[in-house]
Amino acid sequence: MFEHHFQSHPGFDIHIIVLYSSNMTNKRSSISNKDIVLQTASTLFLTKGFQVTSMDEIVALSKVSKTNIYYHYKSKEELLLAIVDQLISRYEERISRTLTQDMSIPAKMERLFRILTEDNEQIDYVGGCPFLTLYTQTSHSSSEARAKIKAFFDKQLQVVEKLLEEGVEKKELSRNLPVHETAALIVTSIEGALFLTKATNNPMLAQNLIQAFASMLK
Amino acid sequence: MFEHHFQSHPGFDIHIIVLYSSNMTNKRSSISNKDIVLQTASTLFLTKGFQVTSMDEIVALSKVSKTNIYYHYKSKEELLLAIVDQLISRYEERISRTLTQDMSIPAKMERLFRILTEDNEQIDYVGGCPFLTLYTQTSHSSSEARAKIKAFFDKQLQVVEKLLEEGVEKKELSRNLPVHETAALIVTSIEGALFLTKATNNPMLAQNLIQAFASMLK
């Protein structure tokens, strides 16, 4: 593991953590420049903001040459799309792994909750959630990024509704549970909790939410 | 009512609606320049973004002179704080009016929900919620704005928890309702719904949420 740590703005520390094995260090340029650029841009867009990050800053922080960066990504928008794709596949991979495991529906729901919230304890996303952060910073500049984010949340709603239906069928959840409405409640409250945990600096919100879900799904 | 309507960016319409009586039109400068500037900045910050709005743009759109604007507001940050204050008092006034009315607790909860969501059907906030929009656009530039937004949500959590406690006491809600956790669930889900209604372009989310609350608070 390789860690850059520097102070780019007064009072604002940026840590960029790039994962690669130590024997790759000497051939960085051929193997992982693209990844380093992506990781640097991702850290800046998510912890500082898309609008206030310039390509020059990505060049300076990644220590990859401008020519090399522009070879891989023609613009900040292209980087943004690559970051959104990477984030979505990372979450979706973890979510689908959970869905196929042999667990009760309430246990799967709790695991899903943890997948959607656990990164946020380590990374100081501007808006508490990576998708919310990218969405609100780019809503008038990248309709493609917005469409991907919309699809991610639409799918999340479907996954939760399907889990709840399965729970009702298996009699793990009350058959009176309004599954469509409860799926909306769960997905919106997780998203709201990501933002509000950050905005109110209250780490207990997520904990309270887990307990509210448990009480509601009894 | 006076309405500016112009196209400031390709494909991006801005409507600025300034309310004042028609007999004020001729003495605009002495009476309401400050309000016009505030309203113009508010519209731009909320529908386009704080970071991408310049003071020059506020001058151009408000048609108030630069000297006059800077007489009232020294910087974009001062305008931001005035906008946050105005938004908070507007919401808090409507909320406290609801709290003192003679209604059942579930009816008050629904009214609260409508207060927090109704503006959003008319105004196309970048992030679906005015506070979320301003927070995510200014999180590293204005700690004072962030503190005000934090206080607004902390208070909202307290108000909802107190309403739920009152409902349990009056036997309008189940005495098994975990009030602290349910307050967190309600406040986070409303906030998440504001963002997700915008991000997924799904106006049914809020409706589903109202039904989920009704089912949960039975």
Side-chain angles (χ1 to χ4, degrees), chain B residues 42-177:
Chain B
S42 175
T43 304
L44 288 168
F45 292 176
L46 292 168
T47 63
K48 193 186 148 213
F50 175 81
Q51 287 169 345
V52 295
T53 298
S54 66
M55 283 297 258
D56 283 346
E57 209 167 350
I58 297 167
V59 171
L61 295 191
S62 66
K63 298 186 178 104
V64 174
S65 77
K66 204 163 191 165
T67 322
N68 198 322
I69 293 184
Y70 277 101
Y71 172 76
H72 296 297
Y73 303 101
K74 299 282 161 284
S75 62
K76 235 170 64 166
E77 282 66 28
E78 273 198 29
L79 263 166
L80 171 72
L81 289 178
I83 290 165
V84 171
D85 281 338
Q86 193 188 47
L87 276 168
I88 289 179
S89 49
R90 202 192 305 159
Y91 279 98
E92 291 196 334
E93 196 188 299
R94 281 188 268 175
I95 292 170
S96 51
R97 220 170 20 222
T98 296
L99 295 180
T100 56
Q101 279 173 355
D102 188 25
M103 289 191 283
S104 74
I105 299 301
K108 280 187 185 177
M109 290 295 310
E110 188 172 335
R111 183 69 65 90
L112 185 65
F113 180 90
R114 303 231 180 257
I115 291 170
L116 292 168
T117 58
E118 66 191 1
D119 275 359
N120 308 50
E121 290 157 21
Q122 285 139 40
I123 306 168
D124 189 26
Y125 298 121
V126 171
C129 160
F131 298 105
L132 186 153
T133 301
L134 295 177
Y135 184 93
T136 53
Q137 289 262 326
T138 59
S139 65
H140 292 300
S141 61
S142 176
S143 59
E144 220 178 319
R146 270 183 293 166
K148 285 172 192 284
I149 291 171
K150 170 177 167 33
F152 174 74
F153 285 111
D154 283 343
K155 192 164 171 190
Q156 196 176 308
L157 271 164
Q158 286 167 14
V159 164
V160 171
E161 188 168 342
K162 207 162 158 294
L163 273 181
L164 295 175
E165 273 169 8
E166 212 180 307
V168 171
E169 265 170 40
K170 290 184 175 169
K171 298 187 176 152
E172 294 176 13
L173 302 174
S174 158
R175 70 189 176 92
N176 297 321
L177 192 78

Side-chain angles (χ1 to χ4, degrees), chain A residues 19-142:
Chain A
L19 292 158
Y20 55 86
S21 66
S22 54
N23 65 1
M24 284 163 66
T25 317
N26 294 332
K27 22 180 192 161
R28 258 184 69 170
S29 65
S30 65
I31 297 175
S32 56
N33 268 352
K34 196 177 172 186
D35 286 343
I36 290 171
V37 170
L38 198 64
Q39 192 57 43
T40 306
S42 176
T43 305
L44 288 169
F45 291 176
L46 292 168
T47 64
K48 194 185 148 217
F50 175 81
Q51 286 168 345
V52 296
T53 298
S54 66
M55 283 298 258
D56 283 345
E57 209 167 350
I58 297 167
V59 171
L61 294 189
S62 67
K63 299 186 178 104
V64 173
S65 77
K66 203 162 190 164
T67 323
N68 199 320
I69 293 184
Y70 277 99
Y71 172 76
H72 296 297
Y73 304 101
K74 299 282 161 284
S75 62
K76 239 172 60 167
E77 282 67 27
E78 272 199 31
L79 263 166
L80 171 71
L81 287 178
I83 289 165
V84 171
D85 281 339
Q86 194 189 46
L87 276 167
I88 289 178
S89 49
R90 203 194 303 159
Y91 279 97
E92 290 195 335
E93 196 188 299
R94 282 188 268 174
I95 291 170
S96 52
R97 220 168 21 220
T98 296
L99 295 180
T100 57
Q101 278 173 357
D102 188 24
M103 288 192 283
S104 73
I105 298 301
K108 282 187 185 177
M109 290 296 310
E110 187 170 337
R111 184 69 66 89
L112 185 66
F113 181 90
R114 303 228 180 260
I115 290 170
L116 293 168
T117 58
E118 67 191 0
D119 275 359
N120 308 51
E121 289 157 23
Q122 284 139 41
I123 306 168
D124 189 25
Y125 298 121
V126 170
C129 159
F131 298 106
L132 186 153
T133 301
L134 295 177
Y135 184 93
T136 53
Q137 289 263 326
T138 59
S139 65
H140 292 299
S141 60
S142 175

